[in-house]
Coordinates of all heavy atoms in Angstrom, one line a residue:
S57 N -18.8 1.6 -3.5 CA -19.4 1.9 -4.9 C -20.0 3.2 -4.9 O -19.9 3.9 -5.9 CB -20.4 0.8 -5.2 OG -21.4 0.7 -4.2
G58 N -20.7 3.7 -3.8 CA -21.3 5.0 -3.8 C -20.2 6.1 -3.9 O -20.5 7.1 -4.6
T59 N -19.1 5.9 -3.3 CA -18.0 6.9 -3.4 C -17.4 7.0 -4.8 O -17.1 8.1 -5.4 CB -16.9 6.6 -2.4 OG1 -17.5 6.6 -1.1 CG2 -15.8 7.7 -2.5
V60 N -17.3 5.8 -5.5 CA -16.7 5.8 -6.8 C -17.7 6.5 -7.8 O -17.3 7.3 -8.6 CB -16.5 4.3 -7.3 CG1 -16.2 4.3 -8.8 CG2 -15.4 3.7 -6.5
V61 N -19.0 6.3 -7.6 CA -20.0 7.0 -8.4 C -19.9 8.5 -8.2 O -20.0 9.3 -9.1 CB -21.4 6.4 -8.2 CG1 -22.4 7.3 -8.9 CG2 -21.5 5.0 -8.6
A62 N -19.8 8.9 -6.9 CA -19.7 10.3 -6.6 C -18.4 11.0 -7.3 O -18.5 12.1 -7.8 CB -19.7 10.6 -5.1
L63 N -17.3 10.2 -7.2 CA -16.1 10.7 -7.8 C -16.2 10.9 -9.3 O -15.6 11.8 -10.0 CB -14.9 9.8 -7.5 CG -14.3 9.8 -6.1 CD1 -13.3 8.7 -5.9 CD2 -13.7 11.2 -5.8
D64 N -17.0 10.0 -9.9 CA -17.1 10.0 -11.4 C -17.7 11.4 -11.9 O -17.4 11.8 -13.0 CB -18.0 8.9 -11.8 CG -18.2 8.8 -13.3 OD1 -17.2 8.8 -14.1 OD2 -19.4 8.8 -13.8
R65 N -18.5 12.0 -11.0 CA -19.1 13.3 -11.5 C -18.1 14.3 -11.7 O -18.2 15.2 -12.6 CB -20.1 13.8 -10.4 CG -21.2 12.8 -10.1 CD -22.3 13.5 -9.2 NE -23.3 12.5 -8.8 CZ -23.4 12.0 -7.6 NH1 -22.5 12.3 -6.7 NH2 -24.3 11.1 -7.3
A66 N -16.9 14.2 -11.0 CA -15.8 15.2 -11.2 C -14.7 14.7 -12.1 O -14.1 15.5 -12.9 CB -15.2 15.6 -9.9
E67 N -14.5 13.4 -12.1 CA -13.3 12.8 -12.9 C -13.7 12.1 -14.2 O -12.8 11.9 -15.0 CB -12.6 11.9 -11.9 CG -12.1 12.6 -10.7 CD -11.1 11.7 -9.9 OE1 -10.5 10.8 -10.5 OE2 -11.1 11.9 -8.6
H68 N -15.0 11.8 -14.4 CA -15.4 11.2 -15.6 C -14.6 10.0 -16.1 O -13.8 10.0 -17.0 CB -15.4 12.3 -16.8 CG -16.1 13.5 -16.4 ND1 -17.5 13.6 -16.2 CD2 -15.7 14.8 -16.2 CE1 -17.9 14.8 -15.9 NE2 -16.8 15.5 -15.9
F69 N -14.8 8.9 -15.3 CA -14.0 7.7 -15.6 C -14.3 7.1 -16.9 O -15.5 7.2 -17.4 CB -14.2 6.7 -14.4 CG -13.8 7.2 -13.1 CD1 -14.7 7.3 -12.0 CD2 -12.5 7.6 -12.9 CE1 -14.3 7.7 -10.8 CE2 -12.1 8.0 -11.6 CZ -13.0 8.1 -10.6
S70 N -13.4 6.4 -17.5 CA -13.6 5.7 -18.8 C -12.6 4.6 -18.9 O -11.8 4.3 -18.0 CB -13.4 6.7 -19.9 OG -12.0 7.2 -20.0
R71 N -12.6 3.9 -20.0 CA -11.6 2.8 -20.2 C -10.1 3.4 -20.2 O -9.2 2.7 -19.7 CB -11.8 2.1 -21.6 CG -10.9 1.0 -21.8 CD -11.1 0.4 -23.2 NE -12.5 -0.1 -23.4 CZ -12.8 -1.4 -23.1 NH1 -11.9 -2.2 -22.7 NH2 -14.1 -1.8 -23.2
R72 N -10.0 4.6 -20.7 CA -8.6 5.2 -20.7 C -8.3 5.9 -19.3 O -7.2 6.1 -19.0 CB -8.5 6.2 -21.8 CG -8.8 5.7 -23.2 CD -8.6 6.7 -24.2 NE -7.3 7.3 -24.3 CZ -6.9 8.3 -25.1 NH1 -7.8 8.8 -26.0 NH2 -5.7 8.7 -25.1
W73 N -9.4 6.2 -18.5 CA -9.2 6.8 -17.2 C -10.0 6.0 -16.2 O -11.1 6.4 -15.8 CB -9.6 8.3 -17.2 CG -9.4 9.0 -15.9 CD1 -10.4 9.4 -15.1 CD2 -8.2 9.3 -15.2 NE1 -9.9 10.0 -14.0 CE2 -8.6 10.0 -14.0 CE3 -6.9 9.2 -15.5 CZ2 -7.6 10.4 -13.1 CZ3 -5.9 9.6 -14.6 CH2 -6.3 10.3 -13.4
P74 N -9.6 4.8 -15.8 CA -10.4 3.9 -15.0 C -10.6 4.5 -13.5 O -9.7 5.2 -13.1 CB -9.6 2.6 -15.0 CG -8.2 3.0 -15.2 CD -8.3 4.2 -16.1
P75 N -11.6 4.1 -12.9 CA -11.8 4.5 -11.5 C -10.9 3.8 -10.6 O -10.3 2.8 -10.9 CB -13.3 4.0 -11.2 CG -13.5 2.9 -12.1 CD -12.7 3.2 -13.4
P76 N -10.7 4.3 -9.3 CA -9.8 3.6 -8.4 C -10.4 2.3 -8.0 O -11.6 2.1 -8.0 CB -9.8 4.5 -7.2 CG -11.0 5.4 -7.3 CD -11.3 5.5 -8.8
L77 N -9.6 1.3 -7.7 CA -10.0 0.0 -7.3 C -10.6 0.0 -5.9 O -9.9 0.3 -5.0 CB -8.9 -1.0 -7.4 CG -9.2 -2.4 -6.8 CD1 -10.2 -3.1 -7.7 CD2 -7.9 -3.3 -6.7
P78 N -11.9 -0.3 -5.7 CA -12.5 -0.3 -4.4 C -11.9 -1.5 -3.6 O -11.9 -2.6 -4.1 CB -14.0 -0.5 -4.6 CG -14.2 -0.1 -6.1 CD -12.9 -0.6 -6.7
C79 N -11.5 -1.3 -2.3 CA -11.0 -2.3 -1.4 C -11.8 -2.1 -0.1 O -12.1 -0.9 0.3 CB -9.5 -2.2 -1.2 SG -8.5 -2.5 -2.7
L80 N -12.0 -3.2 0.6 CA -12.8 -3.1 1.8 C -12.0 -3.5 3.1 O -11.3 -4.5 3.0 CB -14.0 -4.0 1.7 CG -14.8 -3.9 0.4 CD1 -16.0 -4.9 0.5 CD2 -15.3 -2.5 0.2
L81 N -12.1 -2.7 4.1 CA -11.4 -3.0 5.4 C -12.4 -3.0 6.5 O -13.0 -1.9 6.8 CB -10.2 -2.0 5.6 CG -9.5 -2.1 7.0 CD1 -8.9 -3.5 7.2 CD2 -8.5 -1.0 7.1
L82 N -12.5 -4.1 7.2 CA -13.4 -4.2 8.4 C -12.6 -4.4 9.6 O -11.9 -5.4 9.7 CB -14.5 -5.3 8.2 CG -15.4 -5.6 9.3 CD1 -16.2 -4.3 9.7 CD2 -16.4 -6.7 9.0
I83 N -12.7 -3.5 10.6 CA -12.0 -3.6 11.9 C -13.0 -3.9 13.0 O -13.9 -3.1 13.2 CB -11.2 -2.3 12.2 CG1 -10.3 -2.0 11.0 CG2 -10.4 -2.5 13.5 CD1 -9.7 -0.6 11.1
Y84 N -12.9 -5.0 13.6 CA -13.9 -5.4 14.6 C -13.3 -5.3 16.0 O -12.2 -5.9 16.2 CB -14.4 -6.9 14.4 CG -15.3 -7.4 15.4 CD1 -16.5 -6.8 15.7 CD2 -14.9 -8.6 16.2 CE1 -17.3 -7.3 16.7 CE2 -15.8 -9.1 17.1 CZ -17.0 -8.5 17.4 OH -17.8 -9.0 18.4
T85 N -13.9 -4.6 16.9 CA -13.4 -4.4 18.2 C -14.3 -5.0 19.3 O -14.1 -4.7 20.5 CB -13.3 -2.8 18.5 OG1 -14.6 -2.2 18.4 CG2 -12.4 -2.2 17.5
G86 N -15.2 -5.8 19.0 CA -16.1 -6.4 19.9 C -15.5 -7.4 20.9 O -14.4 -7.9 20.6
A87 N -16.2 -7.6 22.0 CA -15.6 -8.5 23.0 C -15.7 -10.0 22.7 O -14.9 -10.8 23.1 CB -16.3 -8.2 24.4
R88 N -16.7 -10.4 21.9 CA -16.8 -11.8 21.6 C -16.4 -12.1 20.1 O -16.5 -11.2 19.3 CB -18.3 -12.3 21.8 CG -19.3 -11.7 20.9 CD -20.7 -12.3 21.3 NE -21.8 -11.8 20.5 CZ -22.2 -12.4 19.4 NH1 -21.6 -13.4 18.9 NH2 -23.2 -11.9 18.7
V89 N -16.0 -13.2 19.9 CA -15.5 -13.6 18.6 C -16.7 -13.5 17.6 O -17.8 -14.0 17.9 CB -14.9 -15.0 18.6 CG1 -14.5 -15.4 17.2 CG2 -13.7 -15.1 19.5
W90 N -16.4 -13.0 16.4 CA -17.5 -12.8 15.4 C -16.9 -13.0 14.0 O -15.8 -12.4 13.7 CB -18.1 -11.5 15.5 CG -19.1 -11.1 14.5 CD1 -20.2 -11.9 14.1 CD2 -19.1 -10.0 13.6 NE1 -20.9 -11.2 13.1 CE2 -20.2 -10.1 12.8 CE3 -18.2 -8.9 13.5 CZ2 -20.5 -9.1 11.8 CZ3 -18.6 -7.9 12.5 CH2 -19.7 -8.0 11.7
N91 N -17.5 -13.8 13.2 CA -17.1 -13.9 11.8 C -18.2 -13.4 10.9 O -19.3 -14.0 10.9 CB -16.8 -15.4 11.4 CG -15.6 -15.9 12.1 OD1 -14.6 -15.3 12.1 ND2 -15.7 -17.1 12.7
P92 N -18.1 -12.2 10.3 CA -19.1 -11.6 9.5 C -19.6 -12.6 8.4 O -18.8 -13.3 7.8 CB -18.5 -10.4 8.8 CG -17.3 -10.1 9.7 CD -16.8 -11.5 10.2
P93 N -20.9 -12.7 8.2 CA -21.5 -13.6 7.2 C -21.0 -13.2 5.8 O -21.0 -12.0 5.5 CB -23.0 -13.5 7.3 CG -23.2 -12.2 8.0 CD -22.0 -12.0 8.9
G94 N -20.6 -14.2 5.0 CA -20.1 -13.9 3.7 C -21.2 -13.6 2.7 O -22.4 -13.8 3.0
M95 N -20.8 -13.3 1.4 CA -21.8 -13.0 0.4 C -22.6 -14.2 0.1 O -23.8 -14.1 -0.3 CB -21.1 -12.4 -0.8 CG -20.4 -11.1 -0.6 SD -21.6 -9.8 0.0 CE -22.6 -9.6 -1.4
D96 N -22.0 -15.4 0.2 CA -22.8 -16.6 -0.1 C -24.0 -16.8 0.9 O -25.1 -17.2 0.5 CB -21.9 -17.9 0.0 CG -21.1 -17.9 1.3 OD1 -21.0 -16.9 2.0 OD2 -20.5 -19.0 1.6
V97 N -23.7 -16.4 2.2 CA -24.8 -16.4 3.2 C -25.8 -15.3 2.9 O -27.0 -15.5 3.0 CB -24.2 -16.3 4.6 CG1 -25.3 -16.3 5.6 CG2 -23.3 -17.5 4.9
L98 N -25.3 -14.1 2.7 CA -26.2 -12.9 2.6 C -27.1 -13.1 1.3 O -28.2 -12.5 1.3 CB -25.4 -11.7 2.5 CG -24.6 -11.3 3.7 CD1 -23.7 -10.0 3.5 CD2 -25.5 -11.1 4.9
T99 N -26.7 -13.8 0.3 CA -27.5 -13.9 -0.9 C -28.3 -15.3 -0.9 O -28.8 -15.6 -2.0 CB -26.6 -13.9 -2.1 OG1 -25.6 -14.9 -2.1 CG2 -25.9 -12.5 -2.2
G100 N -28.3 -16.0 0.2 CA -29.0 -17.2 0.3 C -28.5 -18.3 -0.7 O -29.2 -19.1 -1.2
G101 N -27.2 -18.3 -0.9 CA -26.5 -19.3 -1.7 C -26.5 -18.9 -3.2 O -26.0 -19.7 -4.0
R102 N -27.1 -17.8 -3.6 CA -27.1 -17.5 -5.0 C -25.8 -17.0 -5.5 O -25.5 -17.0 -6.7 CB -28.2 -16.4 -5.3 CG -29.6 -16.9 -5.0 CD -30.6 -15.7 -5.3 NE -32.0 -16.2 -5.0 CZ -32.6 -16.2 -3.9 NH1 -31.9 -15.8 -2.8 NH2 -33.8 -16.6 -3.7
V103 N -24.9 -16.6 -4.6 CA -23.5 -16.2 -4.9 C -22.6 -17.2 -4.2 O -22.7 -17.3 -2.9 CB -23.2 -14.8 -4.5 CG1 -21.7 -14.5 -4.8 CG2 -24.0 -13.8 -5.4
S104 N -21.8 -17.9 -4.9 CA -21.0 -19.0 -4.2 C -19.8 -18.5 -3.5 O -19.3 -19.1 -2.6 CB -20.6 -20.1 -5.2 OG -19.8 -19.4 -6.3
N105 N -19.3 -17.3 -4.0 CA -18.1 -16.8 -3.4 C -18.4 -16.1 -2.0 O -19.2 -15.2 -2.0 CB -17.4 -15.7 -4.3 CG -16.1 -15.3 -3.8 OD1 -15.6 -15.7 -2.8 ND2 -15.4 -14.4 -4.6
P106 N -17.8 -16.6 -0.9 CA -18.1 -15.9 0.4 C -17.5 -14.5 0.5 O -18.0 -13.7 1.3 CB -17.4 -16.9 1.4 CG -16.3 -17.5 0.6 CD -16.8 -17.7 -0.8

Side-chain angles (χ1 to χ4, degrees):
S57 57
T59 302
V60 170
V61 171
L63 285 172
D64 181 56
R65 299 189 186 105
E67 302 190 25
H68 307 293
F69 299 121
S70 65
R71 184 184 296 271
R72 300 181 63 182
W73 180 251
L77 172 67
C79 299
L80 312 180
L81 172 60
L82 175 56
I83 305 167
Y84 175 60
T85 62
R88 67 181 179 89
V89 176
W90 174 56
N91 292 312
M95 295 303 293
D96 51 347
V97 175
L98 295 177
T99 60
R102 295 178 178 87
V103 174
S104 59
N105 188 359

